[in-house]
Amino acid sequence: MKIAVLVKQVPAVDTVKIDEKTGTMIRDGVDAELNPLDLHAVEAAVRIKEARQDASITAISMGPMTAQKAVRYAIAMGADDGLLLSDRKFGGADTLATARTLARAIKKAGPFDLLLAGERATDGETGQVGPACAELLGASVLSYVSAIEELSGEKVRVVRAVEGGHETVEAKLPAMVIPVKEMNVPRLCTLSGKLRAKKADVEILTADDISMAAEETGLTGSATQVVNVTYPKVTRCGRRIAAADGIDAAIGEIMKIFEDKNCLEKAEAV
């Protein structure tokens, strides 16, 4: 059984920046990490591999060359090999163009019996790439999966988290399984896993390698574009109370504000 796991390298949450001119994410010179929700997809794939001797896992990502770090992390967790789509032509792709590019690469590297992807990426929060990729590949989509009950050579049965409870559904393979974080607890990478990932050859594919025309990917191939970037403005007037004169003085200032606004109840005399 061949399994493909889609992973993405994202900026660390506190370093997310947007280019105001292009409306795209600034990825150069910022701390990056493997998308946290993708860890649950990798963990699910590795557990399947541990239960089935015929299973192999390929971690697939799209991004700059630095995104090899995310692919290697998936290999350190237990994936067998990795594939990175990296080309300036892919830059600025929206969810549709990204899914289209990933689907083309999956067809080239496949066929795969099972696909897994994270619920969403922390830098975009759309949750669209996994399902869109499956649609382009003609695969079933099983989202919000909290457990995989059965997996055979022809079908997969899962438990989905839905509003008000859970439901059990079956789908023919190939299928895209998108787990929720409650599905599992991602493992920590072992030393041997890290050493194996360091030595692993991550295959790099460009637009030409997957016969991707410029109008199909990147900004040109995107159906949506960010036309304006704005930042929230603080509209309330605040007052900062410093503790330079001591904590007691600062507390006294705060209590005076409460008293002036009649926020305190006077204690009755005993």
Side-chain angles (χ1 to χ4, degrees):
M1 173 171 287
K2 292 189 65 175
I3 304 172
V5 183
L6 304 183
V7 297
K8 183 180 183 182
Q9 180 170 276
V10 298
V13 176
D14 57 348
T15 62
V16 174
K17 297 180 181 179
I18 300 293
D19 188 319
E20 295 186 18
K21 293 183 178 180
T22 64
T24 58
M25 195 79 62
I26 298 175
R27 301 184 185 277
D28 295 333
V30 298
D31 295 332
E33 60 187 6
L34 176 60
N35 180 45
L37 292 172
D38 291 348
L39 294 173
H40 299 281
V42 177
E43 176 65 25
V46 174
R47 293 190 184 188
I48 292 171
K49 177 184 172 183
E50 291 173 342
R52 298 177 61 105
Q53 295 182 350
D54 64 335
S56 63
I57 305 170
T58 299
I60 302 176
S61 185
M62 185 178 105
M65 292 298 290
T66 54
Q68 289 186 68
K69 180 180 177 181
V71 177
R72 293 187 187 279
Y73 194 95
I75 294 175
M77 286 182 66
D80 295 283
D81 50 49
L83 175 64
L84 175 64
L85 298 164
S86 188
D87 194 315
R88 289 301 303 173
K89 295 178 182 178
F90 301 148
D94 69 354
T95 54
L96 176 59
T98 298
R100 188 183 293 130
T101 307
L102 287 168
R104 187 73 61 84
I106 290 171
K107 286 182 180 179
K108 180 178 177 63
F112 290 97
D113 304 293
L114 185 66
L115 307 168
L116 291 106
E119 181 184 353
R120 62 186 185 280
T122 56
D123 61 350
E125 295 287 345
T126 65
Q128 295 175 353
V129 173
C133 190
E135 173 66 20
L136 292 169
L137 292 168
S140 306
V141 179
L142 301 169
S143 57
Y144 303 108
V145 175
S146 58
I148 298 177
E149 288 193 338
E150 181 183 342
L151 177 62
S152 66
E154 298 180 352
K155 67 178 182 179
V156 58
R157 184 168 71 240
V158 303
V159 177
R160 297 183 66 245
V162 296
E163 186 175 356
H166 294 80
E167 66 178 10
T168 301
V169 295
E170 288 186 355
K172 293 182 179 179
L173 299 182
M176 168 74 76
V177 173
I178 303 174
V180 292
K181 62 183 180 180
E182 290 79 15
M183 182 181 189
N184 55 46
V185 177
R187 68 192 65 196
L188 296 175
C189 298
T190 62
L191 178 59
S192 60
K194 291 180 180 179
L195 293 174
R196 184 170 62 86
K198 186 177 181 180
K199 297 177 181 178
D201 291 327
V202 176
E203 185 178 3
I204 309 297
L205 294 181
T206 64
D208 291 338
D209 292 328
I210 58 175
S211 303
M212 203 82 185
E215 59 270 18
E216 296 179 286
T217 188
L219 278 173
T220 306
S222 296
T224 60
Q225 292 186 6
V226 177
V227 297
N228 188 30
V229 178
T230 59
Y231 294 91
K233 296 180 180 179
V234 178
T235 57
R236 292 177 294 178
C237 296
R239 175 185 171 190
R240 177 173 292 182
I241 298 175
D245 296 330
I247 297 296
D248 291 339
I251 294 175
E253 286 290 321
I254 294 173
M255 296 300 293
K256 187 175 185 305
I257 293 173
F258 287 155
E259 290 174 356
D260 292 342
K261 294 182 179 294
N262 294 318
C263 294
L264 301 178
E265 292 184 1
K266 295 183 180 180
E268 297 181 359
V270 179

